[in-house]
Amino acid sequence: MREPEVRNHRGRVFAQADAAGKAFFLETFGCQMNDHDSEKVAGLLLSRGYRQVETPEAASLILYNTCSIREKAAQKVFSRLGEYRAKQSDGKVIGVLGCVAQQEGEEIFKRAPWVSLVCGSASYRKLPEMLTQLEAGNHRVTGLDTDTDETFETEVTRRDNPWRAYLTIIEGCDKACSYCVVPYTRGPERSRASDAILREVRQVAELGYSEVQLLGQTVNSYADPTPRRMRFSELLLAVAEVQGIRRVRFTTSHPSDFTPDIVDAIESEPKICDHVHLPVQSGSTKVLRAMQRTYSRDEYLEKIAMIRGANRPIAITTDIIVGFPGESESDFQETLSLLAEVRYDSLFSFKYSPRPNTPSRAMDDAISEEQKSRRLAVLQEKQREIQSARNAELIGQAFEVLVSGKSRRENQWSGYTTSHRMINFASQGKDLLGTYVQVRVTGAGPNNLVGTQEV
Ligand code: 5AD
Ligand code: SF4
């Protein structure tokens, strides 16, 4: 497999240091924030002369960037650590990064003594020092502080996606949803300086990226720490103005901080994509209160009405948890009726799982696994019908698509519309990857569209 190209922000290609024995393998679990943190960690390692390799066998340093948002994700990490136990005998250094590292802390050394590094995301800014300690042969290196007001800034980021550049604009979370580990694992909310963000956007634009995605657990809670005090909507507009940028995305938005000026910005600037990911979690005000979500069903629906009132259609997607403690059958029915009312373009749905340290862990009225599974299946079936119907309404319309995939089948390509719909399309064109084309929709399923390029 081709070695990833290493570039600094100005596009200079670094020589790949041929440091035998200084090769790292990095596996990432979880959300886009984790994926992007890994891109930054990889950049840091590459700039220190490490090579990135595709298998743990070929590496001297094995890193897992972990996720603990739901139970299964955390379990997976420990089974992965078990699998690599044997490999430690040949002198490999194994490190655990991310949310499980933060959550379990030094317990990891007890449970998996073959691990040498345990570091949560709020401490990544200290990674260069930690690497120095590891390189010096230290076998118990930790970074577990969360009381920071700093963000993780790197000189070099090794970006995985050749078309879309991810940029973290806000780290941590100050909300206190009762089921969620993020405030514990990622620490308090810290916004990056707007000038640093805009500098990075200009840099990625110069490297040839035309789409950027601004990231944060609550991206729209962004609070510029510089005297400019840019609002989130102003930042969106400023990013869209950068020469070479054609699409601006952002995720994840919190309903309580979703203000009308964000909709105004989308309305006034076509480069800001017509898609808002606005997790609701439940359609029942009673459950929302228990979740400490800071809005009621009606308040959420007001936000939806505001978005739907825009002068161009804006796709809305969401996250839903079923089986939160005390969720009655009628609460669940309220979630289903919310789905019917909003008609989401897509959604992610999860069975509730109690997480360490979170307040909801102590709540009783647990819902049985069977009930959770049934509710999840009912919800997903209902959403499937909604998506099939919504997507069918798009047949005959044409959309701009950023081409990001080429099928093995002749003349078949794929990409995303600005509303983040996947579309597979036919085209006689050559070298379409990374270009923008107009595609007319000829067919639709619940999860994607089919079309033909307009000529
Ligand atoms: N159980 C189930 N789902 C959860 N999420 C967060 N915490 C939990 C939990 N304890 C879901 C929420 C959130 C998404 C990223 O993960 O829906 O929006
Ligand atoms: Fe977790 Fe709530 Fe913060 Fe989202 S807003 S990261 S669900 S605490």
Side-chain angles (χ1 to χ4, degrees):
M1 198 162 176
R2 198 169 68 89
E3 292 273 325
E5 193 176 69
V6 194
R7 298 192 251 187
N8 71 3
H9 285 322
R10 278 163 290 281
R12 190 161 57 87
V13 178
F14 275 98
Q16 296 271 354
D18 183 23
K22 254 188 136 187
F24 72 97
F25 169 77
L26 172 57
E27 185 174 0
T28 310
F29 301 85
C31 64
Q32 281 165 327
M33 295 280 291
N34 260 14
D35 284 338
H36 183 47
D37 283 346
S38 285
E39 293 183 334
K40 293 201 268 184
V41 170
L44 202 86
L45 287 161
L46 290 163
S47 68
R48 283 178 77 96
Y50 284 78
R51 287 177 301 125
Q52 186 162 16
V53 291
E54 301 294 329
T55 60
E57 287 74 18
S60 58
L61 171 64
I62 302 175
L63 295 173
Y64 297 107
N65 186 3
T66 62
C67 170
S68 64
I69 194 117
R70 288 172 294 275
E71 211 157 23
K72 279 197 183 129
Q75 277 167 7
K76 218 164 153 182
V77 173
F78 279 104
S79 74
R80 200 56 116 241
L81 285 177
E83 282 170 32
Y84 291 114
R85 177 177 202 160
K87 305 212 163 63
Q88 208 258 346
S89 56
D90 37 278
K92 293 178 197 283
V93 174
I94 300 182
V96 181
L97 307 178
C99 294
V100 174
Q102 191 66 52
Q103 183 184 294
E104 303 292 324
E106 303 203 354
E107 273 298 306
I108 294 181
F109 294 137
K110 287 194 197 136
R111 227 170 130 174
W114 53 94
V115 169
S116 309
L117 168 73
V118 174
C119 179
S121 69
S123 305
Y124 287 166
R125 66 195 193 292
K126 295 194 198 136
L127 267 176
E129 297 151 45
M130 291 182 214
L131 285 169
T132 305
Q133 289 183 41
L134 286 174
E135 285 160 3
N138 195 330
H139 289 304
R140 288 284 179 275
V141 180
T142 54
L144 294 167
D145 298 338
T146 50
D147 57 341
T148 178
D149 52 7
E150 290 178 69
T151 51
F152 178 37
E153 306 279 340
T154 52
E155 280 289 306
V156 191
T157 297
R158 209 270 296 116
R159 297 181 190 277
D160 289 325
N161 186 317
W163 330 115
R164 180 188 296 168
Y166 293 93
L167 262 86
T168 302
I169 66 161
I170 173 170
E171 292 177 14
C173 182
D174 273 355
K175 305 278 190 261
C177 302
S178 61
Y179 51 81
C180 185
V181 286
V182 168
Y184 308 94
T185 57
R186 286 188 165 268
E189 189 181 289
R190 288 103 59 202
S191 290
R192 269 177 85 186
S194 54
D195 44 3
I197 296 169
L198 290 169
R199 202 177 316 128
E200 193 177 347
V201 174
R202 285 192 290 272
Q203 286 160 346
V204 298
E206 276 171 30
L207 287 172
Y209 289 91
S210 58
E211 181 175 306
V212 291
Q213 178 152 334
L214 307 182
L215 296 177
Q217 304 291 341
T218 56
V219 73
N220 57 326
S221 312
Y222 177 75
D224 184 7
T226 74
R228 271 178 101 178
R229 297 266 171 265
M230 264 194 167
R231 303 187 70 179
F232 175 63
S233 56
E234 292 168 332
L235 181 69
L236 286 177
L237 291 166
V239 171
E241 263 176 32
V242 171
Q243 171 111 35
I245 296 302
R246 194 154 160 176
R247 285 183 172 185
V248 184
R249 300 188 181 279
F250 55 97
T251 199
T252 293
S253 296
H254 192 286
S256 296
D257 295 333
F258 207 86
T259 45
D261 54 308
I262 303 173
V263 178
D264 294 344
I266 298 174
E267 276 190 336
S268 69
E269 177 49 86
K271 290 182 191 170
I272 305 176
C273 288
D274 46 358
H275 172 214
V276 175
H277 185 60
L278 201 68
V280 64
Q281 313 298 359
S282 168
S284 150
T285 297
K286 184 195 98 189
V287 174
L288 289 171
R289 292 270 179 264
M291 288 177 165
Q292 289 167 213
R293 278 296 285 182
T294 69
Y295 53 81
S296 64
R297 175 190 173 104
D298 287 347
E299 284 161 347
Y300 181 87
L301 286 172
E302 281 167 22
K303 303 283 178 181
I304 297 293
M306 179 176 86
I307 298 168
R308 294 267 189 249
N311 63 10
R312 62 178 169 128
I314 298 175
I316 306 177
T317 56
T318 203
D319 292 347
I320 293 198
I321 298 175
V322 297
F324 189 78
E327 182 191 71
S328 66
E329 188 55 35
S330 81
D331 292 321
F332 175 62
Q333 290 300 326
E334 285 193 63
T335 297
L336 294 181
S337 75
L338 185 95
L339 252 54
E341 205 167 329
V342 179
R343 298 185 80 229
Y344 289 105
D345 294 83
S346 168
L347 64 74
F348 297 104
S349 49
F350 311 101
K351 291 193 266 186
Y352 169 75
S353 60
R355 308 307 301 124
N357 303 318
T358 58
S360 68
R361 197 180 175 85
M363 293 177 187
D364 44 19
D365 277 341
I367 310 297
S368 71
E369 255 327 286
E370 277 165 81
Q371 277 302 329
K372 284 185 199 169
S373 299
R374 186 192 59 82
R375 287 179 190 172
L376 190 72
V378 171
L379 182 112
Q380 290 178 344
E381 181 49 36
K382 172 130 196 148
Q383 179 60 22
R384 206 181 142 80
E385 286 163 16
I386 293 169
Q387 279 176 214
S388 299
R390 276 201 85 104
N391 287 346
E393 288 161 17
L394 303 178
I395 293 174
Q397 295 185 36
F399 296 97
E400 181 196 80
V401 172
L402 168 54
V403 186
S404 53
K406 185 180 191 316
S407 163
R408 254 169 289 161
R409 286 186 14 237
E410 187 84 354
N411 301 328
Q412 286 292 322
W413 305 80
S414 63
Y416 285 90
T417 63
T418 56
S419 62
H420 210 245
R421 283 190 169 80
M422 230 299 255
I423 184 158
N424 296 312
F425 66 96
S427 167
Q428 301 298 325
K430 300 277 171 263
D431 301 328
L432 293 185
L433 287 176
T435 66
Y436 291 83
V437 297
Q438 283 292 120
V439 177
R440 192 163 297 276
V441 180
T442 54
N447 296 315
N448 64 355
L449 302 173
V450 178
T452 312
Q453 185 187 353
E454 294 268 272
V455 276

